[in-house]
Amino acid sequence: MTQKLVAGIEPPYYTALFTSVRPEAPEGYAETNTRMQEIVKEIPGFLGYEAARSPGGIGITVAYFRDLESLDAWRLDTEHQAAKAYGREHWYESYSVHIGKVERSYSYERE
């Protein structure tokens, strides 16, 4: 899970909201997840992400991108596509993806 929130991004930017249901720790998931984090961080325009998972298996990941081109670069990455296909077949019971344009953003952090 993400321990630090993504804050201070000047709009507009885009979000990819991924919600899923899967078992707690399916075989091979952690390694693939680590590799996907490495890949997405190399995409110009990637701004960060936040993730959380409930004990019941519901997960939410929000990734932030400067523009649609950077988000599309992530969507079209061949390793990412292969991981998505594998996940549909082996890990996920269900998932949803929502893409949004952020026009207003603010944050708070206690000092």
Side-chain angles (χ1 to χ4, degrees):
M1 285 198 299
T2 304
Q3 296 298 318
K4 182 108 169 116
L5 299 178
V6 175
I9 301 172
E10 182 66 30
Y13 57 93
Y14 290 84
T15 62
L17 173 62
F18 177 75
T19 56
S20 65
V21 177
R22 68 164 173 78
E24 187 62 37
E27 185 177 334
Y29 183 86
E31 296 82 4
T32 300
N33 187 50
T34 298
R35 178 63 184 145
M36 294 302 104
Q37 289 176 30
E38 293 168 358
I39 293 169
V40 74
K41 288 177 183 177
E42 295 177 7
I43 294 175
F46 172 72
L47 303 171
Y49 78 97
E50 297 158 329
R53 181 156 297 279
S54 75
I58 296 173
I60 299 172
T61 300
V62 183
Y64 303 95
F65 296 87
R66 176 53 53 204
D67 49 41
L68 287 175
E69 292 78 18
S70 56
L71 200 154
D72 280 343
W74 173 235
R75 180 178 59 86
L76 297 172
D77 179 87
T78 55
E79 279 189 76
H80 183 218
Q81 287 183 337
K84 289 190 294 187
Y86 189 87
R88 281 190 298 271
E89 185 152 332
H90 298 281
W91 297 324
Y92 296 109
E93 294 176 31
S94 62
Y95 69 77
S96 297
V97 177
H98 306 275
I99 306 300
K101 181 178 182 182
V102 177
E103 296 180 356
R104 186 176 320 150
S105 175
Y106 58 92
S107 60
Y108 166 80
E109 184 173 340
R110 185 180 310 273
E111 292 184 25

